Amino acid sequence: MSPVEIGSISVLAIVFLIYIGVYIPVALGVVSFVSVWLMRDSFELSMNLLKVAVGDSVTEYAFATIPLFTFMGLLVSKAGLGKDIYEVMNAAFRNVRGGIGIATVGANALFAAVTGSSIASASVFTRVSVPEMLRYDYNPRFAVGVVAGSSVLGMIIPPSAMLIIYSFVAEQSVGDMFLAGIGPGILLAVAYMVAITFMGRFTPGFVGGRDGNALGDHPELSWLDVANKTMPLAGIVVVVLGGIYTGWLTPVEAGAGGSAVALLVAIARRKMTLQGFWQALLETGHITAAILFLITAASLYSRMLGLAGLPNELNEILVANQLGFAAIMVVYVILMLFLGTLLDTASVILIVVPLFLPIVEPMGVSLVWFGIVTVIGAEIGLLTPPLGISCFVIKATLDDPAITLKDVFLGALPFAFIMLLVLIVIIRYPWISIGILAR
Amino acid sequence: MAGWTALVDRLYFALSIFSRGVNALGTLVVLGLVAIVNFDVVARGVFNAPFKGTFELVQFSIILIVYLQLPDVIRAGRLTRSDGFLLIVGQSRPQLTRMVRRVIDLVSAILMLLIAITMWPEVVESWETNDFFGTPGIFTAPWWPVRLVVFLSAVLCCLLWLLKALGSDPESDAPKMSDDTSETSHA
C-alpha cells in the first residue's frame, strides 16, 4: 500500500474507533503510531515520533491559557454571575413575546465572555432559564432549544477553549483568535434574538408563552440592582479582553488576572468555600490534562498525515477537479457537519484542520478567519443528533422526564439552522471576524 | 480465577488512591501557576519589576499539571471519549460492550507503555548530561525531574488501564452520562 492509502485508511480508522468509544487521544495516538510504522516499515521511527510528540508538545507557554481560563470560568459559574446577568436581561425584555428566550440568548452571550465552555453555559442556563420559561407556559421544546442554541455562544465568544485549541493546531496567536471571535459571536447572538422575535410573531405555537404584559408580576430591577448584577462581569470582561486588545496583557496573563478578579468577586459574595475552591482547582487540572493529552496525540496525528502526504494528495484531487476556493469551503463545511454529528468539537477541529490547513494556506486567506469558520462549523455538531453534546448536557441537567432528548434535539434544530446561515455569512464576509485585527 | 480478580481489584484500589494523591500535587501546581502569573503582572505593572523566570516556570508547571493529573483523569474515566455507542448498545448487549471496554482499556495501556519506553532514555540522558532549560543568567532549571514525572506518569497510567481491563468491572469508574460527555473536559 502507498503512504497515501495508509494515511486515508487511518483517518477513517480513527473516526471509526472514536465512534465505538475508544478514548479520542488513544485513537489518534495508536492509529498514527501504527500507520507510520507501516508506511516507513520502521518501528524505530514511530517510537521517535511518539517521543517528540510527548516530550515537546506540552512545553508551549501559551498552553497556560487552558488551565487559567478554565479556572476563571469555574469561579465565575460558582459566583453565580450567570444567574445575575440572566435576571437583568429578563427585566429588560419582559414586555416582549418570547422575551425570556431573548433574555436567555443575551445573558448567554455576556456569560460567554467570561467562560470558555458551552457545557458550563448549557448547564447553568438549563437550571435558571428553563424552569422560568415553563412557568410562563412556553413550549418546552422552544425552552430547551433556546438554551441549547445559545450555549454554543460560550465557545465562540472569547475566551474560548476551542479558539485556543485551533490556535495551537494552526500556529496562530491566541490573542488574535480571541479578538476575531467577538464579531461573529455578537452576530450569532443577534441573529438568534431576531429569529426568536420572528418566531414569536409568526409561529407563536412553537414559542408558546403568554402575551408580554402577562409578565407584570416579574419584579422590576432598580438601577442599583442592575449595577450590582452586571459590574463584576463587566469588570472581568474589561480585564481580559481589554487587556488583550490593548496589548497590555498576553492571553496567559489575561487568564490569570481574570481568575484573580473572579476569585475576589466570589469571595466578596460569600459564594466561595475552601472546599469549593479546591474543587474548582481539581476540576481545572482534570480538564487541562485531558485537553493537553488530546493535543499531544493530535500532534502525532498531524505528523503522520504529513509523512503520508495526505494533504498534498487532497490538494491535487481538488485541483484536478478544478474546484475553486468556494467549492473547497463547501466540502470543508459539509465534512465538519458530518463529523460533528459523531465527534465532539475539539476532535473535529484536531482531525480536519491538519488536513485542510496545507490546502488553504497557499491560497492566501487569513488563517485566523479560517479558524473562526472552523470553530463555528464544528460547533453546529453540538446541536445535532445523534451526539449533540449540548443537548445531552441539557437533558442530563433537566431532571424532567416529560422533556425527552428528542424534544431537546427538535427544539435545537431551528437554532442549528440559524448557525449554519450565520456561518455562511461569516465565510462570505471575512471582515466580520478579522476586521477588528486591522487596527 | 476469583482470587486473581480480587487481587487485581485490590491493586487497582491501591493505585487509585495513589493517583488521587499525585493529582492533589498537580492541583497545587495549578494554584501556583495562577499565583506566579498574577505576581508577575502586578510586579511588572505596578512596580515595573517583572519577575524573571515566569516564562520558564509557566512552561514547567504546564507539563507538571498534565502529567501529575493524567492518571487521575484516567482513573475517574474522564478522558475524552464519545461513548454514545457504548451506552446505546450496552442496554441490549451488556456482555459485548463490557468486552469492548476491556479491549479499549488494554489498547490504551499499550499506548502508555510505549510512551513510557520511549521516555526512559530521555530521563537517563537528561540526568547524565545535566540538561537544563531556560536562559542562562536569568533562570534555569534541570530537565530531569520533569522528564521523570512524565515517565512515572506514563507507567502509572499504563498500570491503571491494564488493571481496569483485567479487573472485575471495567465500568466501575465510568461516571454517569452527566459528567462523562466528552465536552466536560473542555473548559
Side-chain angles (χ1 to χ4, degrees), chain A residues 77-322:
Chain A
S77 300
K78 278 218 160 72
L81 294 191
K83 190 165 184 287
D84 280 0
I85 198 70
Y86 169 72
E87 281 166 6
V88 173
M89 282 291 174
N90 227 350
F93 289 103
R94 53 207 271 277
N95 290 325
V96 189
R97 185 172 192 117
I100 307 185
I102 297 175
T104 304
V105 173
N108 249 308
L110 291 171
F111 188 60
V114 288
T115 165
S117 159
S118 296
I119 300 315
S121 304
S123 63
V124 166
F125 286 93
T126 305
R127 279 194 208 103
V128 298
S129 153
V130 172
E132 188 92 354
M133 282 194 260
L134 296 182
R135 200 145 54 88
Y136 288 102
D137 295 332
Y138 277 75
N139 182 342
R141 276 189 190 168
F142 173 78
V144 288
V146 169
V147 173
S150 49
S151 73
V152 300
L153 292 168
M155 285 197 194
I156 297 167
I157 295 179
S160 146
M162 295 306 133
L163 294 175
I164 297 175
I165 289 179
Y166 174 85
S167 75
F168 292 139
V169 187
E171 296 178 350
Q172 296 300 305
S173 122
V174 177
D176 283 355
M177 289 305 303
F178 277 7
L179 295 176
I182 298 175
I186 294 173
L187 177 66
L188 185 60
V190 171
Y192 280 162
M193 289 177 173
V194 171
I196 291 172
T197 316
F198 272 95
M199 288 177 202
R201 178 155 305 168
F202 297 110
T203 58
F206 175 67
V207 177
R210 302 171 209 150
D211 272 331
N213 293 327
L215 294 185
D217 56 333
H218 222 269
E220 205 163 333
L221 293 175
S222 71
W223 285 110
L224 190 68
D225 281 337
V226 171
N228 193 17
K229 285 177 191 298
T230 51
M231 289 316 280
L233 196 120
I236 296 172
V237 173
V238 167
V239 168
V240 172
L241 291 182
I244 295 175
Y245 186 77
T246 56
W248 197 70
L249 296 174
T250 65
V252 171
E253 292 164 348
S259 300
V261 177
L263 182 61
L264 291 179
V265 170
I267 291 173
R269 302 197 152 184
R270 303 175 188 284
K271 289 274 175 62
M272 188 54 68
T273 58
L274 207 57
Q275 202 201 349
F277 182 63
W278 182 254
Q279 276 300 326
L281 279 174
L282 209 68
E283 179 84 11
T284 305
H286 273 184
I287 291 171
T288 307
I291 295 186
L292 289 186
F293 190 55
L294 185 61
I295 291 180
T296 302
S299 82
L300 189 64
Y301 160 78
S302 67
R303 279 167 225 263
M304 182 276 287
L305 285 184
L307 272 181
L310 206 54
N312 291 338
E313 188 69 12
L314 200 59
N315 199 9
E316 273 163 29
I317 294 172
L318 294 174
V319 171
N321 289 309
Q322 298 192 320

Side-chain angles (χ1 to χ4, degrees), chain A residues 17-27 29-30 33 43 47-48 50-61 63-71 115-120 155 161-162 165 248-250 252-254 256-260 277-278 281-294 296 300 342-347 379 382 387 389-390 392-393 396-397, chain B residues 20 23-38 40-42 44-46 54-56 58-63 65-88 100-101 104-105 107-119 121-122 125 143 147 150 161 164 170 177-179 181-187:
Chain A
L17 289 178
I18 292 175
Y19 188 48
I20 64 165
V22 177
Y23 303 97
I24 296 167
V26 173
V30 169
F33 187 90
F43 185 73
M47 285 300 261
N48 264 328
L50 190 63
K51 182 170 76 186
V52 173
V54 173
D56 292 356
S57 59
V58 281
T59 56
E60 194 87 38
Y61 171 75
F63 276 142
T65 46
I66 292 177
L68 293 170
F69 282 115
T70 304
F71 189 50
T115 165
S117 159
S118 296
I119 300 315
M155 285 197 194
M162 295 306 133
I165 289 179
W248 197 70
L249 296 174
T250 65
V252 171
E253 292 164 348
S259 300
F277 182 63
W278 182 254
L281 279 174
L282 209 68
E283 179 84 11
T284 305
H286 273 184
I287 291 171
T288 307
I291 295 186
L292 289 186
F293 190 55
L294 185 61
T296 302
L300 189 64
L342 303 175
L343 311 181
D344 71 293
T345 315
S347 312
E379 292 258 292
L382 285 176
L387 290 170
I389 287 143
S390 273
F392 276 110
V393 172
T397 317
Chain B
R20 273 169 191 257
N23 185 57
L25 275 180
T27 304
L28 291 177
V29 180
V30 176
L31 190 59
L33 174 68
V34 177
I36 291 169
V37 179
N38 269 302
D40 178 49
V41 170
V42 173
R44 191 192 63 195
V46 182
T54 306
F55 193 82
E56 287 79 10
V58 167
Q59 289 177 307
F60 209 89
S61 61
I62 294 299
I63 309 177
I65 292 170
V66 173
Y67 288 99
L68 289 175
Q69 306 211 282
L70 191 59
D72 199 53
V73 171
I74 289 166
R75 177 202 62 79
R78 293 202 49 189
L79 196 65
T80 326
R81 84 189 315 182
S82 89
D83 56 0
F85 172 82
L86 287 175
L87 290 174
I88 292 163
V100 173
R101 278 180 196 271
I104 290 173
D105 286 343
V107 171
S108 311
I110 293 173
L111 179 68
M112 294 320 285
L113 179 69
L114 290 172
I115 291 177
I117 293 174
T118 184
M119 284 314 288
E122 297 278 295
E125 195 197 302
W143 259 119
R147 298 239 158 95
V150 176
W161 259 325
K164 265 191 192 222
M177 191 85 153
S178 59
D179 51 7
T181 41
S182 31
E183 286 281 341
T184 353
S185 31
H186 308 139

Side-chain angles (χ1 to χ4, degrees), chain B residues 93-142:
Chain B
R93 320 226 7 214
Q95 287 293 336
L96 177 74
T97 51
R98 264 176 161 225
M99 207 57 222
V100 173
R101 278 180 196 271
R102 281 182 201 278
V103 173
I104 290 173
D105 286 343
L106 196 64
V107 171
S108 311
I110 293 173
L111 179 68
M112 294 320 285
L113 179 69
L114 290 172
I115 291 177
I117 293 174
T118 184
M119 284 314 288
W120 179 243
E122 297 278 295
V123 178
V124 177
E125 195 197 302
S126 54
W127 167 257
E128 281 170 352
T129 61
N130 240 333
D131 203 6
F132 63 85
F133 72 103
T135 317
I138 297 179
F139 181 91
T140 54

